[in-house]
Amino acid sequence: MASKTLLLLALTTLSIGPAAANWNILNQKWRKARGDNLKNYCESWRINVELNNISEFEVVPQECVDYIKKYMTSSQYKANSERAIEEVSLYLGSCCSLKGDGKEAWIFDVDGTLISTIPYFKEHGFGGEKLNSTSMEAWMEERKAPALDHSLKLFHEIKDRGVKIFLVSSRRETLRSPTIDNLIKVGYHGWTSLILRGLDDEYMHVQQYKSQVRKKLVDEGYRIWGIIGDQWSSLKGLSDAKRTFNLPNSIYYLS
């Protein structure tokens, strides 16, 4: 009887083991039974992504894809983004004054910051699939990304102050024309420079590439008042700005 029981337990372990291992596509340890429900787990995952406690992930955990989809298309996502923009406006009201030499600068990321990539991800698994650069670049060529309204307002607020705006994107140089066309079509104009990745930059990590761009601007005498992006790799690294602001994005991670 005891031997039969042991055999049954062994077979049960073999049958459920792979399922348990694959339940979380990030291959993290199976979380302990703490009474957490799936919504709480996915909310915790999202918050820790935005805090940069979870990084270098390739896909959203499959069990959380629907939750992330609902969040990124919800009024809560919009409210969180708008609150971040409000904090930028408050900062601008007291942080800095123009010195009259044309060297005050602000850096914006492009995708997920000025224009939305959510229409693309609606058709590509909302983070549940590995990011396919060929597919995404084909979508970028279509010039259909909508503006993020709160960012559009902030962009013009900063520009109207007389601050030079630099758009620093991890898009490749081959996408310059569709990027400019898309930005202008949805209301952006008057930036000082759009900086895209050239051939020499393509094999760098995003953080290294963007740090080098900032260093070059500082070496040219610019004082970077602030940076706003939706990826920590857009904000971290040397040649710091006075302040950085991160917009929510739980769909993908660029290092």
Side-chain angles (χ1 to χ4, degrees):
M1 179 67 180
S3 60
K4 288 183 179 180
T5 301
L6 288 172
L7 178 61
L8 180 59
L9 286 172
L11 291 172
T12 303
T13 301
L14 287 172
S15 66
I16 68 171
N22 292 327
W23 188 80
N24 186 326
I25 203 165
L26 292 181
N27 294 320
Q28 296 172 341
K29 292 180 179 179
W30 182 268
R31 70 185 188 275
K32 295 178 181 178
R34 300 186 303 267
D36 295 350
N37 60 36
L38 183 58
K39 180 179 178 181
N40 288 345
Y41 171 65
C42 293
E43 173 70 2
S44 175
W45 186 89
R46 177 187 70 79
I47 289 172
N48 279 280
V49 165
E50 294 179 3
L51 291 172
N52 203 35
N53 293 330
I54 296 174
S55 62
E56 305 292 340
F57 66 90
E58 293 185 339
V59 291
V60 172
Q62 288 297 311
E63 63 272 24
C64 294
V65 168
D66 285 344
Y67 172 83
I68 295 300
K69 177 180 179 180
K70 289 176 182 177
Y71 169 71
M72 293 295 294
T73 55
S74 70
S75 59
Q76 186 62 60
Y77 163 76
K78 183 178 179 182
N80 291 348
S81 299
E82 289 175 347
R83 180 57 189 269
I85 297 298
E86 288 172 6
E87 291 300 318
V88 179
S89 295
L90 289 172
Y91 164 71
L92 287 170
S94 59
C95 77
C96 319
S97 58
L98 295 171
K99 294 187 177 180
D101 59 0
K103 290 295 184 177
E104 281 80 20
W106 190 280
I107 294 175
F108 282 92
D109 190 7
V110 175
D111 293 298
T113 301
L114 294 180
I115 53 180
S116 175
T117 55
I118 288 177
Y120 171 81
F121 286 104
K122 280 183 177 178
E123 304 299 325
H124 294 86
F126 258 96
E129 303 171 6
K130 287 187 178 181
L131 190 62
N132 184 311
S133 58
T134 301
S135 172
M136 192 163 197
E137 287 185 357
W139 177 80
M140 291 171 176
E141 290 274 7
E142 296 176 0
R143 303 157 167 84
K144 293 181 179 179
L148 291 166
D149 292 338
H150 42 274
S151 296
L152 180 61
K153 181 180 178 181
L154 177 68
F155 174 94
H156 287 293
E157 178 184 344
I158 292 174
K159 180 170 65 72
D160 291 347
R161 287 175 177 265
V163 178
K164 299 291 181 63
I165 291 180
F166 293 86
L167 310 184
V168 183
S169 173
S170 57
R171 290 188 179 201
R172 296 195 298 168
E173 181 62 39
T174 54
L175 290 165
R176 179 168 294 275
S177 291
T179 302
I180 291 173
D181 291 348
N182 197 155
L183 288 167
I184 291 174
K185 182 171 71 173
V186 298
Y188 294 100
H189 55 82
W191 61 80
T192 297
S193 180
L194 169 64
I195 301 169
L196 305 176
R197 300 180 80 163
L199 291 175
D200 293 339
D201 307 320
E202 287 189 12
Y203 297 101
M204 290 183 188
H205 287 296
V206 173
Q207 181 176 322
Q208 180 185 3
Y209 153 65
K210 293 195 174 184
S211 293
Q212 288 190 5
V213 170
R214 294 196 299 271
K215 183 179 185 303
K216 184 177 179 181
L217 292 176
V218 170
D219 289 346
E220 292 173 0
Y222 285 100
R223 297 176 294 277
I224 304 174
W225 281 15
I227 308 169
I228 187 165
D230 68 305
Q231 297 288 320
W232 283 92
S233 54
S234 297
L235 311 177
K236 296 171 67 178
L238 296 177
S239 294
D240 295 337
K242 291 184 178 181
R243 278 289 305 273
T244 59
F245 299 86
N246 194 39
L247 293 175
N249 185 346
S250 311
I251 299 178
Y252 62 93
Y253 185 93
L254 296 178
S255 61

